[in-house]
Amino acid sequence: MQAVKRNILLNPGPATTSDSVKLSQVVPDIGPREPEFGDLMAYISVELTRLVGDPDHYTTVLFGGSGTAAVESMISSVLAEQDVVVVINNGAYGKRICEIAEAYGLHYLEFKSPSDDAIDLAALEGFIQASGRAISHLAVVHHETTTGLLNDIKAIGELCSRYRIDMIVDAMSSFAAVPIQMKEMNVRYLAASSNKNLQGMAGVSFVVAEKNKLESLKYKMPRNYYLNLYAQYKYFSEHRQMRFTPPVQTLYALKQAIEELKQEGVQERYERYVNSWTTLIHGITRLGLTYLVPDQYHGKIVTSILEPVCAAFRFQEMHDYFYSEGITIYPGKLDRLNTFRIATMGDIAYQDIETFLERLEHYLQSIGFVKREEETGDVGDKR
Ligand SMILES: *Cc1c(COP(=O)(O)O)cnc(C)c1O
């Protein structure tokens, strides 16, 4: 088969995929209710579970949909009528969880935390105590893709365990790179998707949870339909089929992507991402740009870079220039600061970041941006 043009996606997902993942979608047509396809989905479910828990006790519930579908499924499926969820908001994805809770009319309490600093655990504990209500759940984003801030879910999980709170984690952009152990970290429900660190195609999202926990949802009054976690879990465990039409070809690609992840290793994949990030940080610092989150709280997968201070700078023009060169970048997602984001996830390596940096230097020169020497300190020393 002919090679597919290779673009470098530096947006935080969907990420660059290998040719083998792309081509694995070209398969004979198949009805997704055939046992053969059920085997494929069962394999995917077990292998995804294995990354974060013991498949004897945990399982992965697959949905056709983008990552938000899995987050919405958890939030709208696991709370009983009188339950209260604390939602940690330190970026656009934490805010999205609040919006989902709002849309379903759930009892939620928003805990706001700075987008470029660690969560203050004492303040969070005080918030839980002062709420005057029995908190049943807490929802947090593991890796805030807005800024690249990595939230300490292990410490938050310990707090939740002391207060008998079920922790719900959006691990969309950390899953399959940053190590997660659900049991040790007290993660009750976790959501992720096919197209970020898994390096598959967009269109499959999933929830991982303990089978016992999923069984217990049976007694909750459903407030959703397509996204009902218990119904999706139960149907698959009884029929080895999704309830509704799955994205067939995307699942073939996901199987291939999982095999490639197993070949590479999760730890090795993360090291490759961190290598690319190191290249990125040295490069932008040399060019006179700065970035937002201090290294010790940063996931080293997505970096929020401050826009160059230069009258001729226009993000859209920079985006268009890069796009014409086969490189995709995304704007920032912060209200108070002008930033753009560079992700080092996907089937890319530090050499691709070097290519990006060459083009960036060219672009900055073309708009007459000059590095201000006094503003560039050591890498990582920006507080
Ligand atoms: C990507 C992402 C999502 C889901 O986004 P979709 O566009 O629905 O795939 C949710 N949470 C986080 C933290 C993400 O990075």
Side-chain angles (χ1 to χ4, degrees), residues 9-14 93 145 196 302-305 307 315 318-319 322-323 327-333 339-343 356:
L9 301 188
L10 302 180
N11 49 299
Y93 295 93
T145 321
K196 291 190 177 176
V302 179
T303 306
S304 229
I305 300 170
E307 286 186 351
F315 176 79
M318 180 168 77
H319 166 275
F322 276 111
Y323 190 75
I327 298 175
T328 299
I329 61 171
Y330 268 16
K333 252 181 184 280
T339 56
F340 64 95
R341 288 178 298 168
I342 299 298
F356 163 75

Side-chain angles (χ1 to χ4, degrees), residues 16 30 35 41 57 63 69 71 86 113 116 126 145 149 153 162 167 170 180 222 226 261 264 268 280 312 344 364 366:
T16 301
I30 185 170
M41 288 191 287
H57 301 288
F63 286 94
V71 178
V86 167
S113 179
D116 57 356
T145 321
L149 185 69
I153 53 168
R162 273 194 280 124
M167 181 165 71
D170 170 352
I180 300 171
Y226 184 90
L261 173 65
E264 182 174 18
E268 288 78 5
L280 175 71
T344 51
L364 292 176
S366 77

Side-chain angles (χ1 to χ4, degrees), residues 12-13 66-69 71 93 96 141 143-145 170-173 193 195-196:
S66 84
T68 305
V71 178
Y93 295 93
R96 184 177 298 177
V141 176
H143 175 246
E144 238 312 341
T145 321
D170 170 352
M172 212 64 64
S173 59
S193 70
N195 59 263
K196 291 190 177 176

Side-chain angles (χ1 to χ4, degrees), residues 45 48-49 52-61 74 78 167-168 175 182-183 187-191 206-217 229 233:
S45 169
L48 293 176
T49 307
V52 291
D54 175 0
D56 284 343
H57 301 288
Y58 287 78
T59 192
T60 297
V61 183
M74 298 191 296
V78 308
M167 181 165 71
I168 301 170
F175 189 89
M182 289 182 68
K183 193 165 194 269
V187 180
R188 290 275 183 270
Y189 303 96
L190 176 146
F206 51 90
V207 175
V208 193
E210 221 175 331
K211 291 175 191 168
N212 283 341
K213 204 71 195 169
L214 292 166
E215 287 291 344
S216 76
L217 299 178
L229 187 57
Y233 157 73

Side-chain angles (χ1 to χ4, degrees), residues 210-377:
E210 221 175 331
K211 291 175 191 168
N212 283 341
K213 204 71 195 169
L214 292 166
E215 287 291 344
S216 76
L217 299 178
K218 183 176 178 173
Y219 305 101
K220 305 225 152 120
M221 228 346 223
R223 50 166 81 78
N224 50 15
Y225 187 74
Y226 184 90
L227 294 175
N228 191 271
L229 187 57
Y230 175 75
Q232 190 81 349
Y233 157 73
K234 201 67 191 167
Y235 196 86
F236 190 79
S237 62
E238 283 168 4
H239 305 278
R240 280 162 88 88
Q241 295 173 11
M242 273 198 217
R243 278 195 301 157
F244 308 109
T245 307
V248 174
Q249 289 72 18
T250 301
L251 285 157
Y252 278 102
L254 182 53
K255 174 174 184 254
Q256 176 65 25
I258 289 169
E259 277 163 14
E260 291 176 18
L261 173 65
K262 285 166 74 174
Q263 266 161 29
E264 182 174 18
V266 174
Q267 198 184 325
E268 288 78 5
R269 175 161 296 184
Y270 193 32
E271 277 164 22
R272 174 165 59 82
Y273 288 6
V274 173
N275 250 334
S276 295
W277 174 82
T278 308
T279 303
L280 175 71
I281 296 307
H282 282 119
I284 60 164
T285 306
R286 180 176 59 78
L287 296 176
L289 299 181
T290 54
Y291 57 105
L292 207 61
V293 179
D295 295 357
Q296 70 266 36
Y297 310 128
H298 193 261
K300 301 173 177 66
I301 297 176
V302 179
T303 306
S304 229
I305 300 170
L306 294 167
E307 286 186 351
V309 184
C310 174
F313 178 82
R314 301 279 179 283
F315 176 79
Q316 195 57 44
E317 279 175 21
M318 180 168 77
H319 166 275
D320 295 351
Y321 163 68
F322 276 111
Y323 190 75
S324 71
E325 298 280 313
I327 298 175
T328 299
I329 61 171
Y330 268 16
K333 252 181 184 280
L334 289 168
D335 301 332
R336 70 190 163 86
L337 283 171
N338 290 329
T339 56
F340 64 95
R341 288 178 298 168
I342 299 298
T344 51
M345 66 172 61
D347 186 37
I348 57 169
Y350 74 92
Q351 293 91 337
D352 296 307
I353 301 298
E354 285 172 352
T355 304
F356 163 75
L357 290 165
E358 277 164 29
R359 303 286 189 280
L360 180 64
E361 181 160 21
H362 173 84
Y363 173 77
L364 292 176
Q365 275 166 2
S366 77
I367 61 165
F369 174 73
V370 258
K371 174 178 175 175
R372 314 236 296 267
E373 291 298 337
E374 73 278 12
E375 279 191 5
T376 55

